[in-house]
């Protein structure tokens, strides 16, 4: 397919997309790295940074959702949508819905896990945030698993999202990726 004229996303939506992408990838990598370290002051610092980044992801996600509600995303160009099989259109919508759900679920589960484990979230070491649940070791065990599984699910959806964008750019050559380009 030749390149089709596409309507870009709102500039704030594009900026939040890339800011959130960097925060998610960085925090996921930090989470993988820190959990493999032996107990040390450095590991405790990494956990604090991971929590701070999680709170920022939650804030960016809320702003992004609000931006999406105020500035509706542009529709897929008719030629691109017509060229997509039904399963790809469904995958497109399910992936985006799943990502938005996990943008909120992953950090909230992490925050709840931290609360249940008895480790408060103190944003930037300055502002203590309220505990979401009471201290409870068995609840902490469940929340830890849910946080991990949901983080892996989000990573899988991010990879699927990136694969779809790259397919449109390099195989279909339909210009769809330019909708999110920073200008």
């Amino acid at each position: 397919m030749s390149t089709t004229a596409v309507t870009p996303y709102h500039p704030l939506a594009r900026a939040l997309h890339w800011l959130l992408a960097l925060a998610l990838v960085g925090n996921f990598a930090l989470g993988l790295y820190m959990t493999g370290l032996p107990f040390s002051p450095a590991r405790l610092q990494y956990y604090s940074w991971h929590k701070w980044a999680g709170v920022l992801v939650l804030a960016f996600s809320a702003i992004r959702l609000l931006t999406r509600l105020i500035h509706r995303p542009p529709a897929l160009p008719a030629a691109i949508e017509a060229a997509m099989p039904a399963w790809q259109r469904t995958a497109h919508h399910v992936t985006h819905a799943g990502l938005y759900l996990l943008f909120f679920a992953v950090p909230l589960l992490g925050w709840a896990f931290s609360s249940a484990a008895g480790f408060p979230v103190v944003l930037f070491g300055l502002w203590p945030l309220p505990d979401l649940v009471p201290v409870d070791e068995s609840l902490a065990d469940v929340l830890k698993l849910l946080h991990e599984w949901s983080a892996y699910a989000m990573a899988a959806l991010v990879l699927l999202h990136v694969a779809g964008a790259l397919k449109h750019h390099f195989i279909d050559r339909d210009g769809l990726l330019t909708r999110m380009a920073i200008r």
Side-chain angles (χ1 to χ4, degrees), residues 9 68 73-76 80-81 84-100 157 160-161 164-165 168 176 179:
Y9 278 76
R68 187 177 178 96
L76 284 172
I80 293 174
E81 190 160 3
M84 290 172 68
W87 71 266
Q88 282 184 6
R89 284 191 302 277
T90 300
H92 164 82
H93 294 296
V94 169
T95 299
H96 279 93
L99 283 170
Y100 271 91
L157 288 181
L160 184 62
H161 176 71
H168 278 281
L176 192 64
R179 296 180 347 147

Side-chain angles (χ1 to χ4, degrees), residues 11 14-15 31-32 37-38 41-42 52-53 62 76 79 82 123 125 133 138 148 150 162 176-177:
R14 291 193 313 258
L32 290 175
L37 294 175
W52 302 347
L76 284 172
L123 189 59
V133 297
S138 61
E148 290 174 3
S150 63
V162 169
L176 192 64
L177 187 64

Side-chain angles (χ1 to χ4, degrees), residues 17 20 31 61 73 79 81-82 84 87 108 130 132 142 148 159 170 178:
H17 174 273
L20 192 55
S61 297
E81 190 160 3
M84 290 172 68
W87 71 266
L108 287 171
L132 295 183
V142 170
E148 290 174 3
L159 289 174
F170 290 111
T178 62

Side-chain angles (χ1 to χ4, degrees), residues 115-146:
S115 297
F119 297 108
V121 177
V122 182
L123 189 59
F124 306 123
L126 300 171
W127 298 290
L129 300 181
D131 287 332
L132 295 183
V133 297
V135 174
D136 181 330
E137 188 177 334
S138 61
L139 178 60
D141 292 340
V142 170
L143 290 169
K144 180 180 180 183
L145 284 175
L146 290 174

Side-chain angles (χ1 to χ4, degrees), residues 9-38:
Y9 278 76
H10 187 273
L12 181 57
R14 291 193 313 258
L16 287 167
H17 174 273
W18 292 109
L19 186 61
L20 192 55
L22 289 172
L24 290 172
V25 170
N27 210 24
F28 184 76
L30 178 59
L32 290 175
Y33 176 70
M34 70 185 195
T35 57
L37 294 175

